[in-house]
PDB file of all heavy atoms in Angstrom:
ATOM      1  N   CYS A1353      -5.719  17.887  -9.244  1.00 88.00           N
ATOM      2  CA  CYS A1353      -6.888  17.794 -10.106  1.00 88.00           C
ATOM      3  C   CYS A1353      -7.306  16.319 -10.294  1.00 88.00           C
ATOM      4  O   CYS A1353      -8.597  16.083 -10.023  1.00 88.00           O
ATOM      5  CB  CYS A1353      -6.678  18.447 -11.312  1.00 88.00           C
ATOM      6  SG  CYS A1353      -6.502  20.260 -11.300  1.00 88.00           S
ATOM      7  N   SER A1354      -6.363  15.520 -10.677  1.00 84.00           N
ATOM      8  CA  SER A1354      -6.708  14.090 -10.873  1.00 84.00           C
ATOM      9  C   SER A1354      -7.222  13.395  -9.502  1.00 84.00           C
ATOM     10  O   SER A1354      -8.338  12.664  -9.612  1.00 84.00           O
ATOM     11  CB  SER A1354      -5.599  13.262 -11.413  1.00 84.00           C
ATOM     12  OG  SER A1354      -4.540  13.310 -10.452  1.00 84.00           O
ATOM     13  N   THR A1355      -6.625  13.647  -8.425  1.00 83.00           N
ATOM     14  CA  THR A1355      -6.977  13.036  -7.146  1.00 83.00           C
ATOM     15  C   THR A1355      -8.284  13.568  -6.698  1.00 83.00           C
ATOM     16  O   THR A1355      -9.240  12.797  -6.351  1.00 83.00           O
ATOM     17  CB  THR A1355      -5.840  13.208  -6.138  1.00 83.00           C
ATOM     18  OG1 THR A1355      -4.618  12.949  -6.569  1.00 83.00           O
ATOM     19  CG2 THR A1355      -6.224  12.407  -4.841  1.00 83.00           C
ATOM     20  N   LEU A1356      -8.423  14.825  -6.703  1.00 87.00           N
ATOM     21  CA  LEU A1356      -9.697  15.428  -6.260  1.00 87.00           C
ATOM     22  C   LEU A1356     -10.901  15.038  -7.167  1.00 87.00           C
ATOM     23  O   LEU A1356     -11.968  14.699  -6.570  1.00 87.00           O
ATOM     24  CB  LEU A1356      -9.580  16.977  -6.175  1.00 87.00           C
ATOM     25  CG  LEU A1356     -10.697  17.774  -5.715  1.00 87.00           C
ATOM     26  CD1 LEU A1356     -10.934  17.229  -4.189  1.00 87.00           C
ATOM     27  CD2 LEU A1356     -10.546  19.242  -5.746  1.00 87.00           C
ATOM     28  N   GLY A1357     -10.603  15.023  -8.462  1.00 86.00           N
ATOM     29  CA  GLY A1357     -11.777  14.573  -9.390  1.00 86.00           C
ATOM     30  C   GLY A1357     -12.127  13.135  -9.117  1.00 86.00           C
ATOM     31  O   GLY A1357     -13.300  12.853  -9.135  1.00 86.00           O
ATOM     32  N   THR A1358     -11.139  12.243  -8.820  1.00 81.00           N
ATOM     33  CA  THR A1358     -11.409  10.778  -8.475  1.00 81.00           C
ATOM     34  C   THR A1358     -12.203  10.702  -7.248  1.00 81.00           C
ATOM     35  O   THR A1358     -13.225   9.868  -7.217  1.00 81.00           O
ATOM     36  CB  THR A1358     -10.160   9.980  -8.380  1.00 81.00           C
ATOM     37  OG1 THR A1358      -9.384  10.039  -9.649  1.00 81.00           O
ATOM     38  CG2 THR A1358     -10.356   8.616  -8.116  1.00 81.00           C
ATOM     39  N   LEU A1359     -11.781  11.391  -6.354  1.00 82.00           N
ATOM     40  CA  LEU A1359     -12.468  11.353  -4.940  1.00 82.00           C
ATOM     41  C   LEU A1359     -13.874  11.853  -5.025  1.00 82.00           C
ATOM     42  O   LEU A1359     -14.797  11.224  -4.577  1.00 82.00           O
ATOM     43  CB  LEU A1359     -11.698  12.029  -3.957  1.00 82.00           C
ATOM     44  CG  LEU A1359     -10.341  11.487  -3.591  1.00 82.00           C
ATOM     45  CD1 LEU A1359      -9.536  12.493  -2.640  1.00 82.00           C
ATOM     46  CD2 LEU A1359     -10.457  10.111  -2.781  1.00 82.00           C
ATOM     47  N   LEU A1360     -14.125  13.028  -5.664  1.00 84.00           N
ATOM     48  CA  LEU A1360     -15.444  13.530  -5.793  1.00 84.00           C
ATOM     49  C   LEU A1360     -16.389  12.694  -6.568  1.00 84.00           C
ATOM     50  O   LEU A1360     -17.551  12.635  -6.116  1.00 84.00           O
ATOM     51  CB  LEU A1360     -15.263  14.944  -6.336  1.00 84.00           C
ATOM     52  CG  LEU A1360     -14.642  16.087  -5.467  1.00 84.00           C
ATOM     53  CD1 LEU A1360     -14.611  17.376  -6.138  1.00 84.00           C
ATOM     54  CD2 LEU A1360     -15.304  16.182  -4.185  1.00 84.00           C
ATOM     55  N   SER A1361     -15.830  12.259  -7.672  1.00 81.00           N
ATOM     56  CA  SER A1361     -16.730  11.422  -8.531  1.00 81.00           C
ATOM     57  C   SER A1361     -17.005   9.928  -7.877  1.00 81.00           C
ATOM     58  O   SER A1361     -17.957   9.311  -8.208  1.00 81.00           O
ATOM     59  CB  SER A1361     -15.976  11.124  -9.865  1.00 81.00           C
ATOM     60  OG  SER A1361     -14.745  10.399  -9.746  1.00 81.00           O
ATOM     61  N   SER A1362     -16.195   9.706  -6.860  1.00 77.00           N
ATOM     62  CA  SER A1362     -16.490   8.410  -6.097  1.00 77.00           C
ATOM     63  C   SER A1362     -17.381   8.679  -4.892  1.00 77.00           C
ATOM     64  O   SER A1362     -17.753   7.758  -4.070  1.00 77.00           O
ATOM     65  CB  SER A1362     -15.156   7.836  -5.637  1.00 77.00           C
ATOM     66  OG  SER A1362     -14.399   7.519  -6.674  1.00 77.00           O
ATOM     67  N   GLY A1363     -17.896   9.894  -4.772  1.00 80.00           N
ATOM     68  CA  GLY A1363     -18.826  10.117  -3.634  1.00 80.00           C
ATOM     69  C   GLY A1363     -18.216  10.605  -2.335  1.00 80.00           C
ATOM     70  O   GLY A1363     -18.942  10.853  -1.320  1.00 80.00           O
ATOM     71  N   VAL A1364     -16.922  10.895  -2.349  1.00 81.00           N
ATOM     72  CA  VAL A1364     -16.246  11.352  -1.069  1.00 81.00           C
ATOM     73  C   VAL A1364     -16.582  12.791  -1.008  1.00 81.00           C
ATOM     74  O   VAL A1364     -16.545  13.673  -1.860  1.00 81.00           O
ATOM     75  CB  VAL A1364     -14.788  11.225  -1.224  1.00 81.00           C
ATOM     76  CG1 VAL A1364     -14.117  11.768   0.080  1.00 81.00           C
ATOM     77  CG2 VAL A1364     -14.390   9.746  -1.433  1.00 81.00           C
ATOM     78  N   PRO A1365     -17.043  13.265   0.304  1.00 85.00           N
ATOM     79  CA  PRO A1365     -17.366  14.764   0.577  1.00 85.00           C
ATOM     80  C   PRO A1365     -16.174  15.604   0.189  1.00 85.00           C
ATOM     81  O   PRO A1365     -15.001  15.252   0.372  1.00 85.00           O
ATOM     82  CB  PRO A1365     -17.685  14.906   1.941  1.00 85.00           C
ATOM     83  CG  PRO A1365     -18.048  13.432   2.299  1.00 85.00           C
ATOM     84  CD  PRO A1365     -17.364  12.476   1.442  1.00 85.00           C
ATOM     85  N   ILE A1366     -16.475  16.904  -0.240  1.00 87.00           N
ATOM     86  CA  ILE A1366     -15.337  17.690  -0.745  1.00 87.00           C
ATOM     87  C   ILE A1366     -14.313  18.113   0.375  1.00 87.00           C
ATOM     88  O   ILE A1366     -13.103  18.192   0.092  1.00 87.00           O
ATOM     89  CB  ILE A1366     -16.066  19.076  -1.351  1.00 87.00           C
ATOM     90  CG1 ILE A1366     -14.859  19.807  -2.037  1.00 87.00           C
ATOM     91  CG2 ILE A1366     -16.689  19.739  -0.288  1.00 87.00           C
ATOM     92  CD1 ILE A1366     -15.394  20.985  -2.894  1.00 87.00           C
ATOM     93  N   ILE A1367     -14.806  18.253   1.531  1.00 89.00           N
ATOM     94  CA  ILE A1367     -13.881  18.661   2.749  1.00 89.00           C
ATOM     95  C   ILE A1367     -12.845  17.515   2.933  1.00 89.00           C
ATOM     96  O   ILE A1367     -11.734  17.655   3.004  1.00 89.00           O
ATOM     97  CB  ILE A1367     -14.628  19.000   3.958  1.00 89.00           C
ATOM     98  CG1 ILE A1367     -15.532  20.211   3.764  1.00 89.00           C
ATOM     99  CG2 ILE A1367     -13.562  19.274   5.120  1.00 89.00           C
ATOM    100  CD1 ILE A1367     -14.879  21.268   3.316  1.00 89.00           C
ATOM    101  N   ALA A1368     -13.489  16.236   2.952  1.00 86.00           N
ATOM    102  CA  ALA A1368     -12.651  15.121   3.232  1.00 86.00           C
ATOM    103  C   ALA A1368     -11.616  14.887   2.039  1.00 86.00           C
ATOM    104  O   ALA A1368     -10.524  14.474   2.139  1.00 86.00           O
ATOM    105  CB  ALA A1368     -13.523  13.874   3.391  1.00 86.00           C
ATOM    106  N   SER A1369     -12.195  15.203   0.784  1.00 86.00           N
ATOM    107  CA  SER A1369     -11.342  14.931  -0.405  1.00 86.00           C
ATOM    108  C   SER A1369     -10.141  16.045  -0.397  1.00 86.00           C
ATOM    109  O   SER A1369      -9.050  15.703  -0.857  1.00 86.00           O
ATOM    110  CB  SER A1369     -12.194  15.318  -1.727  1.00 86.00           C
ATOM    111  OG  SER A1369     -13.277  14.263  -1.725  1.00 86.00           O
ATOM    112  N   LEU A1370     -10.442  17.220  -0.034  1.00 88.00           N
ATOM    113  CA  LEU A1370      -9.347  18.226   0.072  1.00 88.00           C
ATOM    114  C   LEU A1370      -8.325  17.927   1.131  1.00 88.00           C
ATOM    115  O   LEU A1370      -7.160  18.006   0.915  1.00 88.00           O
ATOM    116  CB  LEU A1370      -9.972  19.588   0.327  1.00 88.00           C
ATOM    117  CG  LEU A1370     -10.785  20.254  -0.700  1.00 88.00           C
ATOM    118  CD1 LEU A1370     -11.554  21.570  -0.336  1.00 88.00           C
ATOM    119  CD2 LEU A1370      -9.846  20.581  -1.892  1.00 88.00           C
ATOM    120  N   ASN A1371      -8.797  17.327   2.250  1.00 88.00           N
ATOM    121  CA  ASN A1371      -7.775  16.756   3.234  1.00 88.00           C
ATOM    122  C   ASN A1371      -6.877  15.757   2.664  1.00 88.00           C
ATOM    123  O   ASN A1371      -5.633  15.720   2.915  1.00 88.00           O
ATOM    124  CB  ASN A1371      -8.535  16.267   4.403  1.00 88.00           C
ATOM    125  CG  ASN A1371      -9.103  17.424   5.417  1.00 88.00           C
ATOM    126  OD1 ASN A1371      -8.308  18.462   5.542  1.00 88.00           O
ATOM    127  ND2 ASN A1371     -10.130  17.143   6.010  1.00 88.00           N
ATOM    128  N   ILE A1372      -7.558  14.713   1.816  1.00 85.00           N
ATOM    129  CA  ILE A1372      -6.664  13.691   1.367  1.00 85.00           C
ATOM    130  C   ILE A1372      -5.752  14.255   0.325  1.00 85.00           C
ATOM    131  O   ILE A1372      -4.492  13.889   0.316  1.00 85.00           O
ATOM    132  CB  ILE A1372      -7.730  12.657   0.751  1.00 85.00           C
ATOM    133  CG1 ILE A1372      -8.556  12.028   1.850  1.00 85.00           C
ATOM    134  CG2 ILE A1372      -6.893  11.667  -0.054  1.00 85.00           C
ATOM    135  CD1 ILE A1372      -9.529  11.125   1.326  1.00 85.00           C
ATOM    136  N   VAL A1373      -6.229  15.128  -0.581  1.00 85.00           N
ATOM    137  CA  VAL A1373      -5.399  15.670  -1.700  1.00 85.00           C
ATOM    138  C   VAL A1373      -4.220  16.513  -1.104  1.00 85.00           C
ATOM    139  O   VAL A1373      -3.093  16.296  -1.496  1.00 85.00           O
ATOM    140  CB  VAL A1373      -6.290  16.558  -2.506  1.00 85.00           C
ATOM    141  CG1 VAL A1373      -5.361  17.312  -3.559  1.00 85.00           C
ATOM    142  CG2 VAL A1373      -7.259  15.739  -3.242  1.00 85.00           C
ATOM    143  N   ARG A1374      -4.508  17.282  -0.021  1.00 86.00           N
ATOM    144  CA  ARG A1374      -3.454  18.045   0.583  1.00 86.00           C
ATOM    145  C   ARG A1374      -2.321  17.227   1.043  1.00 86.00           C
ATOM    146  O   ARG A1374      -1.212  17.534   0.990  1.00 86.00           O
ATOM    147  CB  ARG A1374      -4.058  18.879   1.825  1.00 86.00           C
ATOM    148  CG  ARG A1374      -3.003  19.788   2.529  1.00 86.00           C
ATOM    149  CD  ARG A1374      -3.645  20.158   3.827  1.00 86.00           C
ATOM    150  NE  ARG A1374      -3.921  19.058   4.683  1.00 86.00           N
ATOM    151  CZ  ARG A1374      -4.710  19.021   5.723  1.00 86.00           C
ATOM    152  NH1 ARG A1374      -5.248  20.123   6.068  1.00 86.00           N
ATOM    153  NH2 ARG A1374      -4.999  17.959   6.514  1.00 86.00           N
ATOM    154  N   ASN A1375      -2.641  15.982   1.560  1.00 83.00           N
ATOM    155  CA  ASN A1375      -1.564  15.100   2.105  1.00 83.00           C
ATOM    156  C   ASN A1375      -0.768  14.425   0.904  1.00 83.00           C
ATOM    157  O   ASN A1375       0.294  13.959   1.286  1.00 83.00           O
ATOM    158  CB  ASN A1375      -2.152  14.106   3.003  1.00 83.00           C
ATOM    159  CG  ASN A1375      -2.762  14.582   4.294  1.00 83.00           C
ATOM    160  OD1 ASN A1375      -2.271  15.717   4.858  1.00 83.00           O
ATOM    161  ND2 ASN A1375      -3.863  14.068   4.724  1.00 83.00           N
ATOM    162  N   LEU A1376      -1.296  14.455  -0.193  1.00 81.00           N
ATOM    163  CA  LEU A1376      -0.639  13.808  -1.383  1.00 81.00           C
ATOM    164  C   LEU A1376       0.370  14.868  -2.123  1.00 81.00           C
ATOM    165  O   LEU A1376       1.078  14.442  -2.802  1.00 81.00           O
ATOM    166  CB  LEU A1376      -1.606  13.263  -2.494  1.00 81.00           C
ATOM    167  CG  LEU A1376      -2.481  12.084  -1.966  1.00 81.00           C
ATOM    168  CD1 LEU A1376      -3.485  11.717  -2.975  1.00 81.00           C
ATOM    169  CD2 LEU A1376      -1.543  10.864  -1.594  1.00 81.00           C
ATOM    170  N   ILE A1377       0.117  16.090  -1.845  1.00 85.00           N
ATOM    171  CA  ILE A1377       0.992  17.232  -2.457  1.00 85.00           C
ATOM    172  C   ILE A1377       2.299  17.336  -1.722  1.00 85.00           C
ATOM    173  O   ILE A1377       2.339  17.296  -0.526  1.00 85.00           O
ATOM    174  CB  ILE A1377       0.262  18.522  -2.501  1.00 85.00           C
ATOM    175  CG1 ILE A1377      -1.080  18.408  -3.279  1.00 85.00           C
ATOM    176  CG2 ILE A1377       1.029  19.613  -3.040  1.00 85.00           C
ATOM    177  CD1 ILE A1377      -0.936  18.101  -4.748  1.00 85.00           C
ATOM    178  N   THR A1378       3.402  17.415  -2.488  1.00 82.00           N
ATOM    179  CA  THR A1378       4.723  17.412  -1.802  1.00 82.00           C
ATOM    180  C   THR A1378       5.127  18.872  -1.481  1.00 82.00           C
ATOM    181  O   THR A1378       5.926  18.890  -0.629  1.00 82.00           O
ATOM    182  CB  THR A1378       5.794  16.817  -2.909  1.00 82.00           C
ATOM    183  OG1 THR A1378       5.653  17.554  -4.095  1.00 82.00           O
ATOM    184  CG2 THR A1378       5.403  15.342  -3.109  1.00 82.00           C
ATOM    185  N   ASN A1379       4.726  19.868  -2.217  1.00 87.00           N
ATOM    186  CA  ASN A1379       5.255  21.286  -1.887  1.00 87.00           C
ATOM    187  C   ASN A1379       4.368  21.822  -0.822  1.00 87.00           C
ATOM    188  O   ASN A1379       3.160  21.854  -0.926  1.00 87.00           O
ATOM    189  CB  ASN A1379       5.030  22.050  -3.274  1.00 87.00           C
ATOM    190  CG  ASN A1379       5.727  23.322  -3.124  1.00 87.00           C
ATOM    191  OD1 ASN A1379       5.241  24.378  -2.639  1.00 87.00           O
ATOM    192  ND2 ASN A1379       7.076  23.408  -3.655  1.00 87.00           N
ATOM    193  N   VAL A1380       5.023  22.465   0.241  1.00 90.00           N
ATOM    194  CA  VAL A1380       4.356  23.047   1.324  1.00 90.00           C
ATOM    195  C   VAL A1380       3.604  24.156   0.911  1.00 90.00           C
ATOM    196  O   VAL A1380       2.457  24.430   1.503  1.00 90.00           O
ATOM    197  CB  VAL A1380       5.256  23.367   2.455  1.00 90.00           C
ATOM    198  CG1 VAL A1380       5.966  22.119   3.013  1.00 90.00           C
ATOM    199  CG2 VAL A1380       6.430  24.323   2.016  1.00 90.00           C
ATOM    200  N   HIS A1381       3.944  24.957  -0.019  1.00 90.00           N
ATOM    201  CA  HIS A1381       3.205  26.204  -0.284  1.00 90.00           C
ATOM    202  C   HIS A1381       1.989  25.880  -1.211  1.00 90.00           C
ATOM    203  O   HIS A1381       0.945  26.551  -0.890  1.00 90.00           O
ATOM    204  CB  HIS A1381       4.155  27.137  -1.249  1.00 90.00           C
ATOM    205  CG  HIS A1381       5.433  27.470  -0.645  1.00 90.00           C
ATOM    206  ND1 HIS A1381       5.422  28.436   0.463  1.00 90.00           N
ATOM    207  CD2 HIS A1381       6.689  27.079  -0.665  1.00 90.00           C
ATOM    208  CE1 HIS A1381       6.647  28.591   0.854  1.00 90.00           C
ATOM    209  NE2 HIS A1381       7.392  27.811   0.170  1.00 90.00           N
ATOM    210  N   ILE A1382       1.976  24.939  -1.908  1.00 90.00           N
ATOM    211  CA  ILE A1382       0.716  24.527  -2.591  1.00 90.00           C
ATOM    212  C   ILE A1382      -0.140  23.794  -1.613  1.00 90.00           C
ATOM    213  O   ILE A1382      -1.394  23.952  -1.717  1.00 90.00           O
ATOM    214  CB  ILE A1382       1.080  23.516  -3.863  1.00 90.00           C
ATOM    215  CG1 ILE A1382       1.907  24.190  -4.829  1.00 90.00           C
ATOM    216  CG2 ILE A1382      -0.169  22.979  -4.468  1.00 90.00           C
ATOM    217  CD1 ILE A1382       2.372  23.435  -5.985  1.00 90.00           C
ATOM    218  N   LYS A1383       0.320  23.068  -0.565  1.00 90.00           N
ATOM    219  CA  LYS A1383      -0.406  22.572   0.459  1.00 90.00           C
ATOM    220  C   LYS A1383      -1.165  23.648   1.263  1.00 90.00           C
ATOM    221  O   LYS A1383      -2.374  23.410   1.591  1.00 90.00           O
ATOM    222  CB  LYS A1383       0.444  21.806   1.453  1.00 90.00           C
ATOM    223  CG  LYS A1383       0.829  20.327   0.997  1.00 90.00           C
ATOM    224  CD  LYS A1383       1.555  19.643   2.254  1.00 90.00           C
ATOM    225  CE  LYS A1383       1.821  18.188   1.964  1.00 90.00           C
ATOM    226  NZ  LYS A1383       2.489  17.506   2.995  1.00 90.00           N
ATOM    227  N   GLU A1384      -0.505  24.807   1.500  1.00 90.00           N
ATOM    228  CA  GLU A1384      -1.091  25.937   2.241  1.00 90.00           C
ATOM    229  C   GLU A1384      -2.216  26.420   1.366  1.00 90.00           C
ATOM    230  O   GLU A1384      -3.332  26.772   1.959  1.00 90.00           O
ATOM    231  CB  GLU A1384      -0.107  26.926   2.474  1.00 90.00           C
ATOM    232  CG  GLU A1384       0.973  26.503   3.553  1.00 90.00           C
ATOM    233  CD  GLU A1384       2.063  27.521   3.732  1.00 90.00           C
ATOM    234  OE1 GLU A1384       1.941  28.709   2.988  1.00 90.00           O
ATOM    235  OE2 GLU A1384       2.987  27.332   4.467  1.00 90.00           O
ATOM    236  N   ALA A1385      -2.122  26.519   0.059  1.00 90.00           N
ATOM    237  CA  ALA A1385      -3.099  26.915  -0.820  1.00 90.00           C
ATOM    238  C   ALA A1385      -4.352  26.089  -0.727  1.00 90.00           C
ATOM    239  O   ALA A1385      -5.526  26.636  -0.765  1.00 90.00           O
ATOM    240  CB  ALA A1385      -2.667  27.140  -2.247  1.00 90.00           C
ATOM    241  N   ILE A1386      -4.062  24.737  -0.730  1.00 91.00           N
ATOM    242  CA  ILE A1386      -5.226  23.817  -0.608  1.00 91.00           C
ATOM    243  C   ILE A1386      -5.882  23.830   0.651  1.00 91.00           C
ATOM    244  O   ILE A1386      -7.170  23.829   0.746  1.00 91.00           O
ATOM    245  CB  ILE A1386      -4.690  22.450  -0.951  1.00 91.00           C
ATOM    246  CG1 ILE A1386      -4.240  22.298  -2.314  1.00 91.00           C
ATOM    247  CG2 ILE A1386      -5.788  21.265  -0.684  1.00 91.00           C
ATOM    248  CD1 ILE A1386      -3.382  21.005  -2.645  1.00 91.00           C
ATOM    249  N   GLU A1387      -5.059  24.167   1.781  1.00 90.00           N
ATOM    250  CA  GLU A1387      -5.723  24.237   3.112  1.00 90.00           C
ATOM    251  C   GLU A1387      -6.574  25.469   3.110  1.00 90.00           C
ATOM    252  O   GLU A1387      -7.688  25.502   3.699  1.00 90.00           O
ATOM    253  CB  GLU A1387      -4.668  24.304   4.145  1.00 90.00           C
ATOM    254  CG  GLU A1387      -5.129  24.507   5.604  1.00 90.00           C
ATOM    255  CD  GLU A1387      -5.948  23.321   6.105  1.00 90.00           C
ATOM    256  OE1 GLU A1387      -5.914  22.325   5.605  1.00 90.00           O
ATOM    257  OE2 GLU A1387      -6.672  23.638   6.965  1.00 90.00           O
ATOM    258  N   LYS A1388      -6.236  26.528   2.563  1.00 90.00           N
ATOM    259  CA  LYS A1388      -7.007  27.805   2.508  1.00 90.00           C
ATOM    260  C   LYS A1388      -8.246  27.623   1.628  1.00 90.00           C
ATOM    261  O   LYS A1388      -9.302  28.160   2.033  1.00 90.00           O
ATOM    262  CB  LYS A1388      -6.165  29.026   1.965  1.00 90.00           C
ATOM    263  CG  LYS A1388      -5.085  29.416   2.943  1.00 90.00           C
ATOM    264  CD  LYS A1388      -4.401  30.591   2.309  1.00 90.00           C
ATOM    265  CE  LYS A1388      -3.134  31.147   3.197  1.00 90.00           C
ATOM    266  NZ  LYS A1388      -2.381  32.223   2.514  1.00 90.00           N
ATOM    267  N   SER A1389      -8.238  26.880   0.604  1.00 90.00           N
ATOM    268  CA  SER A1389      -9.378  26.496  -0.206  1.00 90.00           C
ATOM    269  C   SER A1389     -10.323  25.688   0.485  1.00 90.00           C
ATOM    270  O   SER A1389     -11.564  25.828   0.412  1.00 90.00           O
ATOM    271  CB  SER A1389      -8.988  25.956  -1.502  1.00 90.00           C
ATOM    272  OG  SER A1389      -8.571  24.618  -1.288  1.00 90.00           O
ATOM    273  N   LYS A1390      -9.830  24.777   1.357  1.00 89.00           N
ATOM    274  CA  LYS A1390     -10.709  23.939   2.217  1.00 89.00           C
ATOM    275  C   LYS A1390     -11.397  24.848   3.199  1.00 89.00           C
ATOM    276  O   LYS A1390     -12.706  24.677   3.471  1.00 89.00           O
ATOM    277  CB  LYS A1390      -9.875  22.934   2.928  1.00 89.00           C
ATOM    278  CG  LYS A1390     -10.762  21.848   3.659  1.00 89.00           C
ATOM    279  CD  LYS A1390      -9.884  21.007   4.702  1.00 89.00           C
ATOM    280  CE  LYS A1390      -9.677  21.890   5.944  1.00 89.00           C
ATOM    281  NZ  LYS A1390      -8.974  21.150   6.962  1.00 89.00           N
ATOM    282  N   LEU A1391     -10.767  25.804   3.876  1.00 90.00           N
ATOM    283  CA  LEU A1391     -11.334  26.613   4.912  1.00 90.00           C
ATOM    284  C   LEU A1391     -12.382  27.537   4.270  1.00 90.00           C
ATOM    285  O   LEU A1391     -13.441  27.842   4.795  1.00 90.00           O
ATOM    286  CB  LEU A1391     -10.222  27.473   5.612  1.00 90.00           C
ATOM    287  CG  LEU A1391      -9.305  26.674   6.442  1.00 90.00           C
ATOM    288  CD1 LEU A1391      -8.273  27.712   6.981  1.00 90.00           C
ATOM    289  CD2 LEU A1391      -9.939  25.998   7.526  1.00 90.00           C
ATOM    290  N   SER A1392     -12.113  27.900   3.008  1.00 88.00           N
ATOM    291  CA  SER A1392     -13.088  28.762   2.253  1.00 88.00           C
ATOM    292  C   SER A1392     -14.330  28.019   2.015  1.00 88.00           C
ATOM    293  O   SER A1392     -15.408  28.505   1.986  1.00 88.00           O
ATOM    294  CB  SER A1392     -12.445  29.189   0.911  1.00 88.00           C
ATOM    295  OG  SER A1392     -13.250  29.997   0.173  1.00 88.00           O
TER     296      SER A1392
END
C-alpha cells in the first residue's frame, strides 16, 4: 500500500506501479495476487 500509493501520487501509471510493487514484495503468493490484480 505504501509503495503503490507513493508511485501513483507521483504520476506513475498504475500498470507500471504494480510491476514495481510486485518486485518489492518478498512472498511469492502475495506476488501472484498482485500479478493477477495487474492483469485484471
Side-chain angles (χ1 to χ4, degrees):
C1353 293
S1354 62
T1355 309
L1356 184 60
T1358 299
L1359 292 170
L1360 292 178
S1361 60
S1362 301
V1364 181
I1366 187 169
I1367 301 300
S1369 298
L1370 287 171
N1371 279 327
I1372 295 172
V1373 173
R1374 181 194 59 196
N1375 294 327
L1376 292 176
I1377 299 300
T1378 57
N1379 190 278
V1380 295
H1381 300 289
I1382 298 179
K1383 275 186 176 182
E1384 291 175 1
I1386 296 172
E1387 178 65 20
K1388 290 179 180 179
S1389 69
K1390 186 196 75 172
L1391 296 176
S1392 178

